[in-house]
Amino acid sequence: MKILTTTDCIAGTERLAAAIGMFDGVHRGHITLIDDLKEQAARRGERSAVVTFKQHPQLVVNPDDSPRALMTLEKKVAAIAATKPDYIILLDFDDTLSRYTAQQFMELLHGRYSVDTLVMGYNHRFGHDRSTTFAHYVEQGKALGVEVVKAPEYLGEYAPVSSSIVRQLIASGRVEDAMNCMGHPFELEGTVIHGFHNGRGIGFPTANVGKLPPGLILPHNGAYAVMVAIDGEWYKGMVNIGYRPTLGNGPQLSIEVNIFDFDSDIYGRHIVLHFVRFLRLEFKLGSIEQLREQLTHDKALSQQILDKYLATQS
């Protein structure tokens, strides 16, 4: 698998079949599209290419209303690579590209990257003239020597699936439903930073997760059962996203994870959270003792949830 960028090109006799999209979250709908792309390419004796963008087009077209990302660019590229296309074509979506019509974009793909077949998601649109119908894409492609075909819609157990639906699920705390739609857990990664140091005193030491990648969506405030990775080793845990009202720590949002059966100094280290299930909303309790009781309950419930989850992964 090879990654091509805006300045690369494909010359010679090699021809490509390509699919275009933002592929944010690399969810089950995207996998359906890429699987069909590879089948179409094999049928035609072509190589398969996934065409995507370094930044969301809305960041250029309408930056005040651009969506939060489901994953970083690095994670997206890795997730697409795991589906094993022959190429990933990674483009900069800039002002110039934002003004391209569908026909101009097909000309770019055909001329620079030798794309002869364009496999479109069942409801996907591209180009400045996004009102263009599928029949128009077919007609414009034919004039350029590009065959435009439509991929099947994902109609599996968790349909319908789209990046916007997954964002809505995560923003409302429904991380298990989001995981089902994507086929993998929603992930947050960051660096362990110094926090308020209250957890150890009540028997639940926490790692404060900071230095998050910019532009990434956050789950709704509350407590979650999570899998936690430190230096590639996975642990069970629970995380709270919010303002710690019982402890009165002020208006600063914090992401505090209690890692089960773990007692090492990890300040400054990289940490990864996989969100498995929502536990409860954040709320103020009447005393530290009530908080300790609630956390004890949360931990027991998280252990059950994560044991069940891990059993499905083996």
Side-chain angles (χ1 to χ4, degrees), residues 195-199 208 242-254 256 282 291:
F196 297 102
H197 303 286
N198 293 322
N208 190 295
Y243 299 95
R244 301 164 56 92
T246 304
L247 298 170
N249 291 135
Q252 183 178 347
L253 181 76
S254 67
E256 300 271 356
E282 184 179 53
L291 176 60

Side-chain angles (χ1 to χ4, degrees), residues 11 58 62 72 84 110 159 168 177 182 186 216 249 282:
Q58 285 296 317
N62 189 11
T72 64
K84 298 183 178 179
H110 182 63
Q168 291 168 9
D177 289 335
M182 289 191 289
F186 173 68
L216 213 61
N249 291 135
E282 184 179 53

Side-chain angles (χ1 to χ4, degrees), residues 11-182:
T13 59
E14 190 171 50
R15 312 308 296 179
L16 270 59
I20 309 166
M22 190 60 203
F23 292 94
D24 190 18
V26 193
H27 54 63
R28 294 183 189 274
H30 294 141
I31 300 302
T32 297
L33 172 59
I34 296 172
D35 285 346
D36 188 68
L37 164 69
K38 293 190 294 183
E39 290 177 11
Q40 296 278 1
R43 193 177 305 142
R44 291 167 169 79
E46 297 170 343
R47 308 281 276 175
S48 59
V50 174
V51 182
T52 190
F53 307 103
K54 292 183 180 179
Q55 54 282 104
H56 198 286
Q58 285 296 317
L59 283 171
V60 175
V61 176
N62 189 11
D64 293 333
D65 195 33
S66 61
R68 289 272 168 175
L70 295 171
M71 53 175 44
T72 64
L73 176 61
E74 179 184 24
K75 295 290 184 181
K76 180 178 77 169
V77 170
I80 294 173
T83 68
K84 298 183 178 179
D86 295 307
Y87 292 97
I88 296 175
I89 300 175
L90 190 58
L91 301 178
D92 288 303
F93 194 92
D94 54 17
D95 287 333
T96 299
L97 199 58
S98 73
R99 297 187 183 96
Y100 273 29
T101 64
Q103 184 168 345
Q104 287 173 317
F105 194 65
M106 281 192 276
E107 287 175 351
L108 171 68
L109 295 180
H110 182 63
R112 178 175 285 276
Y113 301 104
S114 300
V115 172
D116 283 352
T117 305
L118 189 59
V119 183
M120 292 185 59
Y122 79 99
N123 66 347
H124 183 63
R125 296 289 183 270
F126 66 91
H128 182 69
D129 50 339
R130 290 177 65 87
S131 60
T132 297
T133 66
F134 179 74
H136 286 146
Y137 288 123
V138 173
E139 181 181 344
Q140 292 168 350
K142 188 175 182 180
L144 297 169
V146 177
E147 183 182 5
V148 180
V149 297
K150 185 179 289 186
E153 178 182 1
Y154 167 72
L155 296 174
E157 179 181 357
Y158 304 106
V161 174
S162 69
S163 297
S164 59
I165 287 173
V166 174
R167 286 189 200 98
Q168 291 168 9
L169 291 171
I170 292 170
S172 61
R174 296 169 57 187
V175 295
E176 184 177 22
D177 289 335
M179 176 172 62
N180 289 334
C181 286
M182 289 191 289

